[in-house]
Amino acid sequence: MKTQIQLILLFAFLSTSLGAQMPLFPTPAKTMQGKGSFVVGNNLSIEAQGDAQKIADQFSQNLKEMHLSDAASSGTVHFKLNKEKAMAPEAYSLQITSSAIQAEASSISGLFYAKEALLQLIRFNKGSLNACRIEDQPRYGWRGFMLDESRHFFGKEKVKQYLDIMASLRMNIFHWHLTDEPGWRIEIKRYPKLTTVGGIGNWHDPKAPATYYTQEDIKEIVAYAAERQITVIPEFDMPGHATAVCRAYPEVSGGGEGRWQHFTFHPCKEETYEFISHVLDEIITLFPSPYIHIGGDEVHYGNQSWFTDPEIQQFIQEKKLVNEVGLEHYFIRRIADMVASKGKTIIGWDEIVDAGVSPSKAVVMWWRHDRQYQLVKALEQGFRVIMTPRRPLYGDFVQYGGHAVGRLWNGYNPIEDIYRFPDNVIHLMKNYEDQIMGMQMSMWTERIADPKRLDFMVFPRLVAVAESAWTLPKAKESSLFMKKLPRFLEFLDTKGIYYFNPFAPDMRPEPTSPEKEDLLQNG
Ligand code: TNX
């Protein structure tokens, strides 16, 4: 009996460690070794039926962009979409023998991930694949990356490059932070000044020429993402962080002075709500996602005029909102209803937990790592939650003690901490697992002005985010992940990405930001 248990444990360990050692990012749930190997080289035949053909076509296109060996291929790759099989959402299997490869899933997204896993094996093994069977499924349905292009604008080509890498890492959400203080970045036909005026400037240069995405650009990115099974979630931040809008259309501004002038919308004017409704109509037409992120964070930073504006004070009294916080919550409830009436659901930063919105109308993004009770409160109230706590999931935090630019908060965000997440908060989610949609890395760009520094802050930490979001806990093993990570770094080299190398942290100069603002502590 004892030896049997020992044997079972040994096999369990071997299958986990085999999966963890194969050059797959993220590590799959289950891997079993077979006999022999399959060569992907010349004249590979690829077969598929029905809807699976789309994935097979993508695969043959992807192979054309790779440098394969001249050796003859061993046989056929079959892509099979088996809708009756009822596998877990996004799950797939990959069977490699010496004569055939079969990729199978019961959803298109699952089949897409089988294809991506296969491409990684071909790439990292130079076309010679050991026979094996992989059965894989994600831990979370929300595996996201957020990019702030208001503070600094990076443009279409960078976004597409990141979408490619995200797809390879089986990440499925691109949260696009397109509006904030320095700049508005989406063309809205009804309000052209949003881009001609609101698009001017960035975090370090308020006079920088207008940069933004046209509606055609947005459609192109959304379609590009969809082909890679990625949903794009737009963020229109309100009632705070609205400076760029209010600069362009002062009639909807909530006032303010100096550094905080125009930071908020005017929360009482009907005109404000009409304006927001019209903007949302265009945003909703551009983004097919079921969710619209409406921000909702840090209103108190710049709502000083709310305390003195007689119109606002009278409104608080009339509507019995008690105070300015009550007014903020009124605003959020109205926007949640407005978005719901347009057939979409809001996502908001964790401040919205206190706004009295029905959990059926909102999803919460937990970001304040120092307020774990906000996560607990959201779950207790029945909200669905996406986790992106500053520590360890904000990409603008330092990743190595020797770095001179970036954020700190009683420490920083090394790749190992990301890999371990969400272990440190898992006890808080007990009995609420179904409400946890997943997690994302959020890349704020106040101190990231160019693509080189952006790459350096994103990579390789994004690989750990992908694994934390995808890989089931029983298949995760930090030391094995770090052991295989250099293969991914080589892949980043081929893409010309300037990443931080955690194995040789002092080798490459850290790209700095124009302000050289150094380390920002707690706040
Ligand atoms: C907090 S996260 C913010 C952002 C900043 C970020 C910098 C959130 C909801 N608000 O506006 O860019 O910190 O780390």
Side-chain angles (χ1 to χ4, degrees):
M1 182 67 183
K2 202 169 153 209
T3 30
Q4 251 180 355
I5 291 174
Q6 278 171 341
L7 270 179
I8 291 169
L9 286 176
L10 179 68
F11 279 123
F13 173 76
L14 285 178
S15 82
T16 310
S17 68
L18 174 68
Q21 280 162 34
M22 287 173 83
L24 284 166
F25 303 90
T27 302
K30 204 166 162 195
T31 314
M32 289 147 275
Q33 202 159 8
K35 280 211 181 88
S37 61
F38 184 104
V39 174
V40 176
N42 264 332
N43 298 328
L44 180 70
S45 76
I46 302 170
E47 281 185 5
Q49 264 103 48
D51 293 347
Q53 190 60 49
K54 194 174 99 187
I55 303 294
D57 292 345
Q58 286 183 343
F59 178 65
S60 64
Q61 186 57 38
N62 298 145
L63 286 185
K64 280 192 198 130
E65 289 151 18
M66 285 167 96
H67 302 287
L68 294 172
S69 83
D70 292 333
S73 292
S74 305
T76 305
V77 179
H78 303 267
F79 286 94
K80 195 169 166 200
L81 185 64
N82 189 345
K83 289 186 183 158
E84 275 82 62
K85 209 168 176 184
M87 292 161 88
E90 307 180 276
Y92 69 88
S93 70
L94 198 56
Q95 174 98 27
I96 302 176
T97 69
S98 53
S99 57
I101 296 179
Q102 172 142 302
E104 194 178 4
S106 58
S107 61
I108 282 285
S109 57
L111 204 58
F112 179 83
Y113 295 133
K115 179 201 75 146
E116 290 300 322
L118 180 55
L119 285 170
Q120 286 184 342
L121 290 176
I122 296 169
R123 182 185 302 127
F124 293 124
N125 292 312
K126 311 220 161 25
S128 176
L129 316 187
N130 288 333
C132 65
R133 178 172 174 82
I134 295 169
E135 288 169 8
D136 200 7
Q137 67 182 82
R139 180 178 190 179
Y140 294 118
W142 185 287
R143 303 178 300 278
F145 172 67
M146 189 214 82
L147 182 63
D148 167 8
E149 287 207 82
S150 171
R151 271 59 177 267
H152 287 104
F153 186 81
F154 301 95
K156 226 161 49 173
E157 291 316 309
K158 195 74 205 160
V159 168
K160 284 187 177 173
Q161 186 188 43
Y162 280 18
L163 290 170
D164 286 342
I165 299 175
M166 284 171 66
S168 170
L169 292 171
R170 333 281 192 259
M171 297 182 80
N172 62 352
I173 301 285
F174 178 54
H175 167 184
W176 215 357
H177 187 83
L178 287 165
T179 76
D180 214 302
E181 298 156 69
W184 176 277
R185 310 288 179 212
I186 333 171
E187 177 189 29
I188 299 294
K189 302 243 156 105
R190 191 178 176 122
Y191 300 113
K193 281 192 286 176
L194 279 175
T195 41
T196 54
V197 177
I200 295 175
N202 60 39
W203 183 266
H204 77 273
D205 177 7
K207 294 203 172 70
T211 44
Y212 59 90
Y213 291 100
T214 64
Q215 295 205 348
E216 287 311 305
D217 291 335
I218 301 257
K219 284 182 203 154
E220 187 183 326
I221 294 285
V222 167
Y224 192 89
E227 273 171 35
R228 287 155 183 77
Q229 303 300 315
I230 296 172
T231 303
V232 186
I233 313 284
E235 180 176 349
F236 170 8
D237 207 341
M238 59 176 103
H241 290 278
T243 320
V245 188
C246 301
R247 212 165 9 103
Y249 292 92
E251 55 273 34
V252 295
S253 171
E257 273 165 30
R259 158 91 176 79
W260 302 108
Q261 194 191 10
H262 294 325
F263 184 75
T264 69
F265 276 109
H266 195 292
C268 311
K269 286 187 188 167
E270 278 313 299
E271 196 183 346
T272 302
Y273 294 97
E274 277 161 28
F275 178 93
I276 291 172
S277 174
H278 290 142
V279 173
L280 282 172
D281 286 341
E282 291 193 36
I283 291 182
I284 285 170
T285 315
L286 289 170
F287 294 91
S289 95
Y291 303 107
I292 303 291
H293 202 307
I294 57 97
D297 56 312
E298 298 179 330
V299 178
H300 64 280
Y301 274 18
N303 68 349
Q304 295 82 359
S305 325
W306 294 13
F307 292 78
T308 52
D309 182 322
E311 197 187 333
I312 294 180
Q313 287 301 316
Q314 196 188 338
F315 190 87
I316 291 174
Q317 299 241 308
E318 275 170 18
K319 297 258 183 218
K320 300 196 173 37
L321 299 172
V322 182
N323 56 24
E324 295 68 22
V325 174
L327 175 58
E328 174 186 332
H329 293 163
Y330 162 89
F331 177 95
I332 298 291
R333 287 196 300 276
R334 249 187 104 161
I335 299 300
D337 288 342
M338 183 190 288
V339 172
S341 75
K342 296 178 193 293
K344 304 274 178 173
T345 303
I346 64 158
I347 301 177
W349 299 107
D350 64 40
E351 284 91 333
I352 71 157
V353 174
D354 302 311
V357 180
S358 155
S360 64
K361 284 192 191 148
V363 171
V364 171
M365 257 189 191
W366 176 55
W367 67 281
R368 291 177 292 181
H369 70 285
D370 55 329
R371 297 188 191 204
Q372 292 191 345
Y373 56 82
Q374 206 66 6
L375 165 65
V376 173
K377 211 196 284 177
L379 294 172
E380 283 175 357
Q381 287 186 21
F383 285 101
R384 286 162 294 158
V385 173
I386 297 151
M387 301 177 288
T388 184
R390 279 177 291 223
R391 290 207 48 209
L393 293 179
Y394 271 17
D396 57 341
F397 275 61
V398 171
Q399 58 194 315
Y400 167 59
H403 286 162
V405 183
R407 296 194 69 189
L408 298 170
W409 195 305
N410 304 327
Y412 50 92
N413 292 343
I415 190 166
E416 292 83 359
D417 285 8
I418 295 171
Y419 192 87
R420 275 192 291 272
F421 189 80
D423 290 1
N424 63 322
V425 287
I426 205 82
H427 59 287
L428 304 174
M429 303 170 198
K430 222 164 166 236
N431 305 323
Y432 297 107
E433 284 85 1
D434 291 352
Q435 286 164 241
I436 302 288
M437 290 171 68
M439 52 186 272
Q440 71 177 35
M441 178 184 206
S442 294
M443 182 49 76
W444 303 100
T445 59
E446 287 94 330
R447 278 150 206 93
I448 299 169
D450 61 78
K452 189 173 177 186
R453 181 161 166 79
L454 182 66
D455 288 348
F456 190 79
M457 298 304 273
V458 172
F459 296 107
R461 289 188 290 186
L462 192 69
V463 190
V465 175
E467 177 131 345
S468 290
W470 175 282
T471 304
L472 299 178
K474 62 172 194 244
K476 269 173 92 177
E477 166 55 55
S478 171
S479 60
L480 294 173
F481 171 76
M482 290 307 277
K483 215 165 144 189
K484 70 182 175 181
L485 185 60
R487 322 250 334 229
F488 202 87
L489 299 185
E490 284 164 28
F491 167 61
L492 293 174
D493 281 329
T494 67
K495 299 223 152 216
I497 286 186
Y498 189 84
Y499 52 83
F500 167 65
N501 187 341
F503 305 103
D506 297 308
M507 282 266 289
R508 297 173 160 198
E510 171 195 10
T512 53
S513 79
E515 294 172 300
K516 293 206 179 53
E517 206 165 327
D518 306 328
L519 298 167
L520 274 190
Q521 295 274 358
N522 299 14

